[in-house]
Amino acid sequence: CGEEVSMRRLATQYWSVPMACVVSFMCYLKTLCPTVYVEGTGELIGATHFLGTAHPTGYPLFCLFGRLFSAFLPFGEAAYKINLATACTGALATAALSAFLRWRTCNSWSALATALAFGFSSTFWSQVVIAEVYGLSTLAIIAVMGIGIKAAERRDERSLILLFYLMGLGLTTHLSQVLVWPGLVVLLAWQVELQRS
């Protein structure tokens, strides 16, 4: 009975997360590119479909996820399936941002509005309706930031190990992940200094 109450409380506190995911995904689906588009999408679709290597750094996590996702879809051509996989990562990134903001004491409506404003920004939207790595990369950045803050607050070994694992995994999505690292290092060092004093 206690678990049921806590699950109900969690559902009422975090309703903005599935809402952000569903709303953004429906919009991405409506505007999804049905085939190969400009930029490097053709190369990325080919690398994902044939499990090859795209231009450096290769984006292995995106290629593996896109191939697995497209293998389970019974309809559509390879380009459409991989574009759809990108849209899913974009919707998950929008939901993750809403969850992160809600966790950091933002109210549900503000978390939803901010996540959707980010998800519908022209740059992000343009990159999650074609075969591109930025939806998955953004999801990894939000996860690293969340676990980094949790590790700084908890100061336990397990959170640090998870943080470093996610940091390494994030590098397989896009090298822009390293831009978050200096802030996390400063935060962790500051927490260690506070603990000493």
Side-chain angles (χ1 to χ4, degrees):
C1 187
E3 284 182 22
E4 187 178 321
V5 170
S6 66
M7 288 299 287
R8 195 175 302 139
R9 185 180 305 136
L10 192 67
T12 57
Q13 288 178 348
Y14 285 86
W15 62 265
S16 62
V17 177
M19 182 71 72
C21 188
V22 168
V23 169
S24 59
F25 180 71
M26 290 314 217
C27 292
Y28 298 155
L29 188 61
K30 188 77 175 158
T31 58
L32 189 69
C33 180
T35 186
V36 177
Y37 192 61
V38 295
E39 300 173 27
T41 60
E43 177 197 9
L44 204 51
I45 289 168
T48 302
H49 184 66
F50 296 109
L51 286 179
T53 304
H55 60 278
T57 58
Y59 313 110
L61 189 61
F62 177 83
C63 290
L64 289 172
F65 171 75
R67 183 64 180 115
L68 187 64
F69 186 93
S70 64
F72 284 102
L73 280 184
F75 57 87
E77 295 183 7
Y80 179 79
K81 292 178 184 182
I82 294 164
N83 290 344
L84 188 58
T86 304
C88 286
T89 63
L92 288 173
T94 305
L97 180 59
S98 178
F100 177 80
L101 293 171
R102 188 70 186 101
W103 173 57
R104 299 313 295 172
T105 67
C106 203
N107 73 54
S108 295
W109 286 106
S110 298
L112 177 62
T114 304
L116 290 178
F118 172 76
F120 296 148
S121 63
S122 59
T123 302
F124 187 75
W125 195 341
S126 70
Q127 298 301 302
V128 296
V129 293
I130 59 175
E132 269 300 345
V133 299
Y134 301 108
L136 187 59
S137 177
T138 304
L139 180 60
I141 285 174
I142 294 167
V144 165
M145 285 174 39
I147 296 299
I149 291 171
K150 191 173 183 180
E153 290 174 349
R154 281 188 167 184
R155 302 177 199 148
D156 68 329
E157 193 175 303
R158 292 180 120 184
S159 297
L160 280 174
I161 290 170
L162 180 59
L163 172 63
F164 296 140
Y165 174 75
L166 286 176
M167 288 167 77
L169 198 61
L171 280 179
T172 67
T173 62
H174 199 273
L175 285 180
S176 63
Q177 302 288 317
V178 298
L179 298 174
V180 180
W181 294 5
L184 289 174
V185 169
V186 168
L187 178 64
L188 291 169
W190 179 58
Q191 286 294 329
V192 167
E193 196 60 38
L194 279 178
Q195 193 174 10
R196 284 180 185 167
S197 55

PDB file of all heavy atoms in Angstrom, residues 150-187:
ATOM      1  N   LYS A 150      23.730  14.821  -8.582  1.00  0.00           N
ATOM      2  CA  LYS A 150      23.413  13.823  -7.557  1.00  0.00           C
ATOM      3  C   LYS A 150      24.685  13.312  -6.882  1.00  0.00           C
ATOM      4  O   LYS A 150      24.724  13.142  -5.658  1.00  0.00           O
ATOM      5  CB  LYS A 150      22.654  12.661  -8.199  1.00  0.00           C
ATOM      6  CG  LYS A 150      22.039  11.705  -7.224  1.00  0.00           C
ATOM      7  CD  LYS A 150      21.180  10.700  -7.959  1.00  0.00           C
ATOM      8  CE  LYS A 150      20.491   9.777  -6.990  1.00  0.00           C
ATOM      9  NZ  LYS A 150      19.652   8.786  -7.661  1.00  0.00           N
ATOM     10  N   ALA A 151      25.734  13.091  -7.673  1.00  0.00           N
ATOM     11  CA  ALA A 151      27.006  12.622  -7.118  1.00  0.00           C
ATOM     12  C   ALA A 151      27.621  13.670  -6.203  1.00  0.00           C
ATOM     13  O   ALA A 151      28.194  13.344  -5.159  1.00  0.00           O
ATOM     14  CB  ALA A 151      27.979  12.280  -8.245  1.00  0.00           C
ATOM     15  N   ALA A 152      27.494  14.937  -6.578  1.00  0.00           N
ATOM     16  CA  ALA A 152      28.026  16.015  -5.742  1.00  0.00           C
ATOM     17  C   ALA A 152      27.257  16.127  -4.428  1.00  0.00           C
ATOM     18  O   ALA A 152      27.848  16.391  -3.376  1.00  0.00           O
ATOM     19  CB  ALA A 152      27.979  17.335  -6.499  1.00  0.00           C
ATOM     20  N   GLU A 153      25.958  15.919  -4.477  1.00  0.00           N
ATOM     21  CA  GLU A 153      25.138  16.014  -3.268  1.00  0.00           C
ATOM     22  C   GLU A 153      25.321  14.807  -2.352  1.00  0.00           C
ATOM     23  O   GLU A 153      25.414  14.945  -1.142  1.00  0.00           O
ATOM     24  CB  GLU A 153      23.662  16.159  -3.640  1.00  0.00           C
ATOM     25  CG  GLU A 153      23.318  17.493  -4.249  1.00  0.00           C
ATOM     26  CD  GLU A 153      21.889  17.575  -4.753  1.00  0.00           C
ATOM     27  OE1 GLU A 153      21.196  16.534  -4.838  1.00  0.00           O
ATOM     28  OE2 GLU A 153      21.472  18.690  -5.084  1.00  0.00           O
ATOM     29  N   ARG A 154      25.383  13.635  -2.943  1.00  0.00           N
ATOM     30  CA  ARG A 154      25.482  12.408  -2.143  1.00  0.00           C
ATOM     31  C   ARG A 154      26.900  12.120  -1.667  1.00  0.00           C
ATOM     32  O   ARG A 154      27.100  11.555  -0.610  1.00  0.00           O
ATOM     33  CB  ARG A 154      25.001  11.202  -2.953  1.00  0.00           C
ATOM     34  CG  ARG A 154      23.532  11.073  -3.025  1.00  0.00           C
ATOM     35  CD  ARG A 154      23.216   9.765  -3.671  1.00  0.00           C
ATOM     36  NE  ARG A 154      21.826   9.428  -3.507  1.00  0.00           N
ATOM     37  CZ  ARG A 154      21.301   8.304  -3.904  1.00  0.00           C
ATOM     38  NH1 ARG A 154      22.047   7.406  -4.497  1.00  0.00           N
ATOM     39  NH2 ARG A 154      20.026   8.055  -3.744  1.00  0.00           N
ATOM     40  N   ARG A 155      27.865  12.419  -2.539  1.00  0.00           N
ATOM     41  CA  ARG A 155      29.281  12.160  -2.250  1.00  0.00           C
ATOM     42  C   ARG A 155      29.540  10.673  -1.988  1.00  0.00           C
ATOM     43  O   ARG A 155      30.247  10.317  -1.052  1.00  0.00           O
ATOM     44  CB  ARG A 155      29.759  12.985  -1.061  1.00  0.00           C
ATOM     45  CG  ARG A 155      29.579  14.459  -1.247  1.00  0.00           C
ATOM     46  CD  ARG A 155      30.001  15.213  -0.024  1.00  0.00           C
ATOM     47  NE  ARG A 155      29.425  16.533  -0.039  1.00  0.00           N
ATOM     48  CZ  ARG A 155      29.067  17.210   1.015  1.00  0.00           C
ATOM     49  NH1 ARG A 155      29.223  16.690   2.208  1.00  0.00           N
ATOM     50  NH2 ARG A 155      28.561  18.404   0.910  1.00  0.00           N
ATOM     51  N   ASP A 156      28.928   9.796  -2.772  1.00  0.00           N
ATOM     52  CA  ASP A 156      29.182   8.372  -2.615  1.00  0.00           C
ATOM     53  C   ASP A 156      29.840   7.809  -3.868  1.00  0.00           C
ATOM     54  O   ASP A 156      29.763   8.377  -4.950  1.00  0.00           O
ATOM     55  CB  ASP A 156      27.895   7.613  -2.270  1.00  0.00           C
ATOM     56  CG  ASP A 156      26.906   7.582  -3.421  1.00  0.00           C
ATOM     57  OD1 ASP A 156      26.894   8.552  -4.193  1.00  0.00           O
ATOM     58  OD2 ASP A 156      26.150   6.605  -3.537  1.00  0.00           O
ATOM     59  N   GLU A 157      30.495   6.688  -3.695  1.00  0.00           N
ATOM     60  CA  GLU A 157      31.294   6.081  -4.755  1.00  0.00           C
ATOM     61  C   GLU A 157      30.440   5.586  -5.924  1.00  0.00           C
ATOM     62  O   GLU A 157      30.822   5.728  -7.081  1.00  0.00           O
ATOM     63  CB  GLU A 157      32.092   4.915  -4.163  1.00  0.00           C
ATOM     64  CG  GLU A 157      33.177   4.402  -5.069  1.00  0.00           C
ATOM     65  CD  GLU A 157      34.001   3.338  -4.386  1.00  0.00           C
ATOM     66  OE1 GLU A 157      34.560   3.602  -3.311  1.00  0.00           O
ATOM     67  OE2 GLU A 157      34.071   2.222  -4.942  1.00  0.00           O
ATOM     68  N   ARG A 158      29.282   5.045  -5.633  1.00  0.00           N
ATOM     69  CA  ARG A 158      28.419   4.500  -6.695  1.00  0.00           C
ATOM     70  C   ARG A 158      27.958   5.586  -7.662  1.00  0.00           C
ATOM     71  O   ARG A 158      27.936   5.386  -8.866  1.00  0.00           O
ATOM     72  CB  ARG A 158      27.198   3.807  -6.094  1.00  0.00           C
ATOM     73  CG  ARG A 158      27.533   2.555  -5.345  1.00  0.00           C
ATOM     74  CD  ARG A 158      26.296   1.953  -4.793  1.00  0.00           C
ATOM     75  NE  ARG A 158      26.177   0.630  -5.365  1.00  0.00           N
ATOM     76  CZ  ARG A 158      25.171  -0.169  -5.160  1.00  0.00           C
ATOM     77  NH1 ARG A 158      24.160   0.219  -4.433  1.00  0.00           N
ATOM     78  NH2 ARG A 158      25.148  -1.364  -5.704  1.00  0.00           N
ATOM     79  N   SER A 159      27.582   6.741  -7.119  1.00  0.00           N
ATOM     80  CA  SER A 159      27.148   7.843  -7.980  1.00  0.00           C
ATOM     81  C   SER A 159      28.293   8.331  -8.856  1.00  0.00           C
ATOM     82  O   SER A 159      28.088   8.666 -10.023  1.00  0.00           O
ATOM     83  CB  SER A 159      26.611   9.002  -7.143  1.00  0.00           C
ATOM     84  OG  SER A 159      25.474   8.606  -6.425  1.00  0.00           O
ATOM     85  N   LEU A 160      29.492   8.365  -8.307  1.00  0.00           N
ATOM     86  CA  LEU A 160      30.662   8.782  -9.097  1.00  0.00           C
ATOM     87  C   LEU A 160      30.965   7.789 -10.209  1.00  0.00           C
ATOM     88  O   LEU A 160      31.268   8.185 -11.340  1.00  0.00           O
ATOM     89  CB  LEU A 160      31.887   8.941  -8.197  1.00  0.00           C
ATOM     90  CG  LEU A 160      31.976  10.233  -7.401  1.00  0.00           C
ATOM     91  CD1 LEU A 160      33.156  10.189  -6.453  1.00  0.00           C
ATOM     92  CD2 LEU A 160      32.087  11.426  -8.335  1.00  0.00           C
ATOM     93  N   ILE A 161      30.883   6.511  -9.902  1.00  0.00           N
ATOM     94  CA  ILE A 161      31.132   5.488 -10.927  1.00  0.00           C
ATOM     95  C   ILE A 161      30.095   5.608 -12.045  1.00  0.00           C
ATOM     96  O   ILE A 161      30.436   5.560 -13.227  1.00  0.00           O
ATOM     97  CB  ILE A 161      31.121   4.073 -10.298  1.00  0.00           C
ATOM     98  CG1 ILE A 161      32.354   3.893  -9.409  1.00  0.00           C
ATOM     99  CG2 ILE A 161      31.074   2.998 -11.378  1.00  0.00           C
ATOM    100  CD1 ILE A 161      32.335   2.641  -8.560  1.00  0.00           C
ATOM    101  N   LEU A 162      28.832   5.778 -11.673  1.00  0.00           N
ATOM    102  CA  LEU A 162      27.772   5.953 -12.676  1.00  0.00           C
ATOM    103  C   LEU A 162      28.015   7.212 -13.500  1.00  0.00           C
ATOM    104  O   LEU A 162      27.837   7.208 -14.721  1.00  0.00           O
ATOM    105  CB  LEU A 162      26.404   6.005 -12.001  1.00  0.00           C
ATOM    106  CG  LEU A 162      25.197   6.190 -12.916  1.00  0.00           C
ATOM    107  CD1 LEU A 162      25.115   5.065 -13.947  1.00  0.00           C
ATOM    108  CD2 LEU A 162      23.915   6.278 -12.104  1.00  0.00           C
ATOM    109  N   LEU A 163      28.435   8.293 -12.841  1.00  0.00           N
ATOM    110  CA  LEU A 163      28.729   9.538 -13.544  1.00  0.00           C
ATOM    111  C   LEU A 163      29.825   9.336 -14.577  1.00  0.00           C
ATOM    112  O   LEU A 163      29.679   9.730 -15.745  1.00  0.00           O
ATOM    113  CB  LEU A 163      29.139  10.631 -12.549  1.00  0.00           C
ATOM    114  CG  LEU A 163      29.663  11.924 -13.166  1.00  0.00           C
ATOM    115  CD1 LEU A 163      28.580  12.609 -13.994  1.00  0.00           C
ATOM    116  CD2 LEU A 163      30.191  12.852 -12.084  1.00  0.00           C
ATOM    117  N   PHE A 164      30.927   8.702 -14.188  1.00  0.00           N
ATOM    118  CA  PHE A 164      32.036   8.504 -15.119  1.00  0.00           C
ATOM    119  C   PHE A 164      31.660   7.556 -16.259  1.00  0.00           C
ATOM    120  O   PHE A 164      32.095   7.729 -17.399  1.00  0.00           O
ATOM    121  CB  PHE A 164      33.282   8.002 -14.385  1.00  0.00           C
ATOM    122  CG  PHE A 164      33.828   9.000 -13.403  1.00  0.00           C
ATOM    123  CD1 PHE A 164      34.301   8.599 -12.167  1.00  0.00           C
ATOM    124  CD2 PHE A 164      33.836  10.361 -13.697  1.00  0.00           C
ATOM    125  CE1 PHE A 164      34.795   9.522 -11.260  1.00  0.00           C
ATOM    126  CE2 PHE A 164      34.321  11.293 -12.798  1.00  0.00           C
ATOM    127  CZ  PHE A 164      34.807  10.873 -11.568  1.00  0.00           C
ATOM    128  N   TYR A 165      30.829   6.573 -15.952  1.00  0.00           N
ATOM    129  CA  TYR A 165      30.336   5.674 -16.998  1.00  0.00           C
ATOM    130  C   TYR A 165      29.509   6.440 -18.022  1.00  0.00           C
ATOM    131  O   TYR A 165      29.691   6.294 -19.234  1.00  0.00           O
ATOM    132  CB  TYR A 165      29.507   4.545 -16.374  1.00  0.00           C
ATOM    133  CG  TYR A 165      28.837   3.661 -17.385  1.00  0.00           C
ATOM    134  CD1 TYR A 165      29.572   2.725 -18.103  1.00  0.00           C
ATOM    135  CD2 TYR A 165      27.475   3.781 -17.639  1.00  0.00           C
ATOM    136  CE1 TYR A 165      28.956   1.912 -19.049  1.00  0.00           C
ATOM    137  CE2 TYR A 165      26.857   2.978 -18.587  1.00  0.00           C
ATOM    138  CZ  TYR A 165      27.596   2.050 -19.285  1.00  0.00           C
ATOM    139  OH  TYR A 165      26.993   1.264 -20.230  1.00  0.00           O
ATOM    140  N   LEU A 166      28.592   7.281 -17.527  1.00  0.00           N
ATOM    141  CA  LEU A 166      27.749   8.067 -18.436  1.00  0.00           C
ATOM    142  C   LEU A 166      28.556   9.092 -19.222  1.00  0.00           C
ATOM    143  O   LEU A 166      28.244   9.390 -20.372  1.00  0.00           O
ATOM    144  CB  LEU A 166      26.628   8.762 -17.659  1.00  0.00           C
ATOM    145  CG  LEU A 166      25.493   7.865 -17.197  1.00  0.00           C
ATOM    146  CD1 LEU A 166      24.503   8.654 -16.348  1.00  0.00           C
ATOM    147  CD2 LEU A 166      24.778   7.224 -18.373  1.00  0.00           C
ATOM    148  N   MET A 167      29.593   9.635 -18.604  1.00  0.00           N
ATOM    149  CA  MET A 167      30.457  10.575 -19.313  1.00  0.00           C
ATOM    150  C   MET A 167      31.147   9.874 -20.486  1.00  0.00           C
ATOM    151  O   MET A 167      31.218  10.410 -21.589  1.00  0.00           O
ATOM    152  CB  MET A 167      31.481  11.192 -18.358  1.00  0.00           C
ATOM    153  CG  MET A 167      30.876  12.182 -17.384  1.00  0.00           C
ATOM    154  SD  MET A 167      31.981  12.624 -16.016  1.00  0.00           S
ATOM    155  CE  MET A 167      33.085  13.756 -16.828  1.00  0.00           C
ATOM    156  N   GLY A 168      31.633   8.668 -20.242  1.00  0.00           N
ATOM    157  CA  GLY A 168      32.265   7.894 -21.316  1.00  0.00           C
ATOM    158  C   GLY A 168      31.272   7.497 -22.394  1.00  0.00           C
ATOM    159  O   GLY A 168      31.568   7.584 -23.584  1.00  0.00           O
ATOM    160  N   LEU A 169      30.092   7.091 -21.972  1.00  0.00           N
ATOM    161  CA  LEU A 169      29.050   6.714 -22.924  1.00  0.00           C
ATOM    162  C   LEU A 169      28.620   7.922 -23.749  1.00  0.00           C
ATOM    163  O   LEU A 169      28.371   7.821 -24.950  1.00  0.00           O
ATOM    164  CB  LEU A 169      27.852   6.124 -22.168  1.00  0.00           C
ATOM    165  CG  LEU A 169      26.848   5.306 -22.948  1.00  0.00           C
ATOM    166  CD1 LEU A 169      27.514   4.083 -23.553  1.00  0.00           C
ATOM    167  CD2 LEU A 169      25.704   4.885 -22.051  1.00  0.00           C
ATOM    168  N   GLY A 170      28.560   9.076 -23.108  1.00  0.00           N
ATOM    169  CA  GLY A 170      28.197  10.301 -23.806  1.00  0.00           C
ATOM    170  C   GLY A 170      29.171  10.652 -24.918  1.00  0.00           C
ATOM    171  O   GLY A 170      28.777  11.209 -25.949  1.00  0.00           O
ATOM    172  N   LEU A 171      30.435  10.317 -24.715  1.00  0.00           N
ATOM    173  CA  LEU A 171      31.439  10.590 -25.766  1.00  0.00           C
ATOM    174  C   LEU A 171      31.159   9.808 -27.034  1.00  0.00           C
ATOM    175  O   LEU A 171      31.593  10.213 -28.112  1.00  0.00           O
ATOM    176  CB  LEU A 171      32.848  10.250 -25.263  1.00  0.00           C
ATOM    177  CG  LEU A 171      33.513  11.275 -24.374  1.00  0.00           C
ATOM    178  CD1 LEU A 171      34.879  10.782 -23.938  1.00  0.00           C
ATOM    179  CD2 LEU A 171      33.628  12.611 -25.075  1.00  0.00           C
ATOM    180  N   THR A 172      30.443   8.700 -26.923  1.00  0.00           N
ATOM    181  CA  THR A 172      30.128   7.914 -28.119  1.00  0.00           C
ATOM    182  C   THR A 172      28.951   8.504 -28.893  1.00  0.00           C
ATOM    183  O   THR A 172      28.609   8.002 -29.955  1.00  0.00           O
ATOM    184  CB  THR A 172      29.823   6.446 -27.761  1.00  0.00           C
ATOM    185  OG1 THR A 172      28.619   6.378 -27.003  1.00  0.00           O
ATOM    186  CG2 THR A 172      30.962   5.813 -26.995  1.00  0.00           C
ATOM    187  N   THR A 173      28.318   9.550 -28.329  1.00  0.00           N
ATOM    188  CA  THR A 173      27.235  10.209 -29.055  1.00  0.00           C
ATOM    189  C   THR A 173      27.741  11.427 -29.807  1.00  0.00           C
ATOM    190  O   THR A 173      27.417  11.626 -30.964  1.00  0.00           O
ATOM    191  CB  THR A 173      26.097  10.635 -28.105  1.00  0.00           C
ATOM    192  OG1 THR A 173      26.595  11.588 -27.165  1.00  0.00           O
ATOM    193  CG2 THR A 173      25.517   9.449 -27.378  1.00  0.00           C
ATOM    194  N   HIS A 174      28.548  12.266 -29.122  1.00  0.00           N
ATOM    195  CA  HIS A 174      29.109  13.463 -29.758  1.00  0.00           C
ATOM    196  C   HIS A 174      30.175  14.038 -28.834  1.00  0.00           C
ATOM    197  O   HIS A 174      30.029  14.005 -27.612  1.00  0.00           O
ATOM    198  CB  HIS A 174      28.018  14.498 -30.021  1.00  0.00           C
ATOM    199  CG  HIS A 174      28.404  15.523 -31.033  1.00  0.00           C
ATOM    200  ND1 HIS A 174      29.071  16.665 -30.687  1.00  0.00           N
ATOM    201  CD2 HIS A 174      28.238  15.567 -32.371  1.00  0.00           C
ATOM    202  CE1 HIS A 174      29.292  17.394 -31.775  1.00  0.00           C
ATOM    203  NE2 HIS A 174      28.800  16.737 -32.815  1.00  0.00           N
ATOM    204  N   LEU A 175      31.226  14.596 -29.410  1.00  0.00           N
ATOM    205  CA  LEU A 175      32.320  15.138 -28.600  1.00  0.00           C
ATOM    206  C   LEU A 175      31.938  16.409 -27.843  1.00  0.00           C
ATOM    207  O   LEU A 175      32.670  16.832 -26.956  1.00  0.00           O
ATOM    208  CB  LEU A 175      33.547  15.414 -29.475  1.00  0.00           C
ATOM    209  CG  LEU A 175      34.338  14.179 -29.912  1.00  0.00           C
ATOM    210  CD1 LEU A 175      35.515  14.585 -30.776  1.00  0.00           C
ATOM    211  CD2 LEU A 175      34.819  13.392 -28.714  1.00  0.00           C
ATOM    212  N   SER A 176      30.817  17.008 -28.171  1.00  0.00           N
ATOM    213  CA  SER A 176      30.384  18.212 -27.450  1.00  0.00           C
ATOM    214  C   SER A 176      30.109  17.920 -25.980  1.00  0.00           C
ATOM    215  O   SER A 176      29.978  18.844 -25.177  1.00  0.00           O
ATOM    216  CB  SER A 176      29.136  18.806 -28.104  1.00  0.00           C
ATOM    217  OG  SER A 176      28.056  17.892 -28.038  1.00  0.00           O
ATOM    218  N   GLN A 177      30.037  16.647 -25.608  1.00  0.00           N
ATOM    219  CA  GLN A 177      29.839  16.254 -24.213  1.00  0.00           C
ATOM    220  C   GLN A 177      30.901  16.857 -23.297  1.00  0.00           C
ATOM    221  O   GLN A 177      30.624  17.174 -22.149  1.00  0.00           O
ATOM    222  CB  GLN A 177      29.898  14.726 -24.076  1.00  0.00           C
ATOM    223  CG  GLN A 177      28.901  13.984 -24.908  1.00  0.00           C
ATOM    224  CD  GLN A 177      27.502  14.118 -24.392  1.00  0.00           C
ATOM    225  OE1 GLN A 177      27.261  14.036 -23.199  1.00  0.00           O
ATOM    226  NE2 GLN A 177      26.567  14.347 -25.281  1.00  0.00           N
ATOM    227  N   VAL A 178      32.110  17.019 -23.808  1.00  0.00           N
ATOM    228  CA  VAL A 178      33.207  17.500 -22.959  1.00  0.00           C
ATOM    229  C   VAL A 178      32.976  18.937 -22.486  1.00  0.00           C
ATOM    230  O   VAL A 178      33.605  19.374 -21.523  1.00  0.00           O
ATOM    231  CB  VAL A 178      34.575  17.391 -23.662  1.00  0.00           C
ATOM    232  CG1 VAL A 178      34.915  15.948 -23.980  1.00  0.00           C
ATOM    233  CG2 VAL A 178      34.627  18.238 -24.913  1.00  0.00           C
ATOM    234  N   LEU A 179      32.087  19.668 -23.126  1.00  0.00           N
ATOM    235  CA  LEU A 179      31.823  21.049 -22.722  1.00  0.00           C
ATOM    236  C   LEU A 179      31.136  21.116 -21.353  1.00  0.00           C
ATOM    237  O   LEU A 179      31.194  22.146 -20.676  1.00  0.00           O
ATOM    238  CB  LEU A 179      30.970  21.757 -23.775  1.00  0.00           C
ATOM    239  CG  LEU A 179      31.606  21.879 -25.156  1.00  0.00           C
ATOM    240  CD1 LEU A 179      30.623  22.465 -26.154  1.00  0.00           C
ATOM    241  CD2 LEU A 179      32.873  22.718 -25.095  1.00  0.00           C
ATOM    242  N   VAL A 180      30.493  20.038 -20.940  1.00  0.00           N
ATOM    243  CA  VAL A 180      29.816  19.993 -19.644  1.00  0.00           C
ATOM    244  C   VAL A 180      30.792  19.623 -18.531  1.00  0.00           C
ATOM    245  O   VAL A 180      30.587  19.972 -17.372  1.00  0.00           O
ATOM    246  CB  VAL A 180      28.649  18.975 -19.690  1.00  0.00           C
ATOM    247  CG1 VAL A 180      27.915  18.887 -18.380  1.00  0.00           C
ATOM    248  CG2 VAL A 180      27.686  19.331 -20.801  1.00  0.00           C
ATOM    249  N   TRP A 181      31.842  18.936 -18.878  1.00  0.00           N
ATOM    250  CA  TRP A 181      32.756  18.377 -17.883  1.00  0.00           C
ATOM    251  C   TRP A 181      33.418  19.400 -16.965  1.00  0.00           C
ATOM    252  O   TRP A 181      33.500  19.157 -15.760  1.00  0.00           O
ATOM    253  CB  TRP A 181      33.806  17.519 -18.568  1.00  0.00           C
ATOM    254  CG  TRP A 181      33.252  16.286 -19.207  1.00  0.00           C
ATOM    255  CD1 TRP A 181      31.941  15.913 -19.314  1.00  0.00           C
ATOM    256  CD2 TRP A 181      33.989  15.258 -19.843  1.00  0.00           C
ATOM    257  NE1 TRP A 181      31.819  14.732 -19.989  1.00  0.00           N
ATOM    258  CE2 TRP A 181      33.068  14.300 -20.321  1.00  0.00           C
ATOM    259  CE3 TRP A 181      35.330  15.048 -20.074  1.00  0.00           C
ATOM    260  CZ2 TRP A 181      33.452  13.160 -20.989  1.00  0.00           C
ATOM    261  CZ3 TRP A 181      35.724  13.908 -20.744  1.00  0.00           C
ATOM    262  CH2 TRP A 181      34.794  12.967 -21.198  1.00  0.00           C
ATOM    263  N   PRO A 182      33.920  20.533 -17.473  1.00  0.00           N
ATOM    264  CA  PRO A 182      34.558  21.478 -16.542  1.00  0.00           C
ATOM    265  C   PRO A 182      33.625  21.931 -15.418  1.00  0.00           C
ATOM    266  O   PRO A 182      34.044  22.033 -14.255  1.00  0.00           O
ATOM    267  CB  PRO A 182      34.964  22.654 -17.443  1.00  0.00           C
ATOM    268  CG  PRO A 182      35.094  22.062 -18.793  1.00  0.00           C
ATOM    269  CD  PRO A 182      34.067  20.978 -18.863  1.00  0.00           C
ATOM    270  N   GLY A 183      32.370  22.179 -15.751  1.00  0.00           N
ATOM    271  CA  GLY A 183      31.408  22.579 -14.724  1.00  0.00           C
ATOM    272  C   GLY A 183      31.204  21.490 -13.688  1.00  0.00           C
ATOM    273  O   GLY A 183      31.104  21.767 -12.483  1.00  0.00           O
ATOM    274  N   LEU A 184      31.158  20.237 -14.132  1.00  0.00           N
ATOM    275  CA  LEU A 184      30.991  19.123 -13.193  1.00  0.00           C
ATOM    276  C   LEU A 184      32.215  18.959 -12.303  1.00  0.00           C
ATOM    277  O   LEU A 184      32.091  18.688 -11.105  1.00  0.00           O
ATOM    278  CB  LEU A 184      30.719  17.827 -13.959  1.00  0.00           C
ATOM    279  CG  LEU A 184      29.358  17.717 -14.626  1.00  0.00           C
ATOM    280  CD1 LEU A 184      29.273  16.459 -15.460  1.00  0.00           C
ATOM    281  CD2 LEU A 184      28.245  17.732 -13.587  1.00  0.00           C
ATOM    282  N   VAL A 185      33.407  19.135 -12.880  1.00  0.00           N
ATOM    283  CA  VAL A 185      34.644  19.022 -12.096  1.00  0.00           C
ATOM    284  C   VAL A 185      34.675  20.106 -11.017  1.00  0.00           C
ATOM    285  O   VAL A 185      35.006  19.836  -9.855  1.00  0.00           O
ATOM    286  CB  VAL A 185      35.883  19.109 -13.011  1.00  0.00           C
ATOM    287  CG1 VAL A 185      37.163  19.266 -12.192  1.00  0.00           C
ATOM    288  CG2 VAL A 185      35.976  17.876 -13.899  1.00  0.00           C
ATOM    289  N   VAL A 186      34.310  21.334 -11.387  1.00  0.00           N
ATOM    290  CA  VAL A 186      34.270  22.433 -10.406  1.00  0.00           C
ATOM    291  C   VAL A 186      33.248  22.131  -9.319  1.00  0.00           C
ATOM    292  O   VAL A 186      33.518  22.334  -8.120  1.00  0.00           O
ATOM    293  CB  VAL A 186      33.953  23.777 -11.113  1.00  0.00           C
ATOM    294  CG1 VAL A 186      33.627  24.862 -10.103  1.00  0.00           C
ATOM    295  CG2 VAL A 186      35.114  24.200 -11.996  1.00  0.00           C
ATOM    296  N   LEU A 187      32.084  21.637  -9.683  1.00  0.00           N
ATOM    297  CA  LEU A 187      31.043  21.312  -8.710  1.00  0.00           C
ATOM    298  C   LEU A 187      31.511  20.228  -7.740  1.00  0.00           C
ATOM    299  O   LEU A 187      31.348  20.356  -6.520  1.00  0.00           O
ATOM    300  CB  LEU A 187      29.764  20.859  -9.432  1.00  0.00           C
ATOM    301  CG  LEU A 187      28.596  20.441  -8.543  1.00  0.00           C
ATOM    302  CD1 LEU A 187      28.091  21.617  -7.714  1.00  0.00           C
ATOM    303  CD2 LEU A 187      27.476  19.858  -9.380  1.00  0.00           C
TER     304      LEU A 187
END
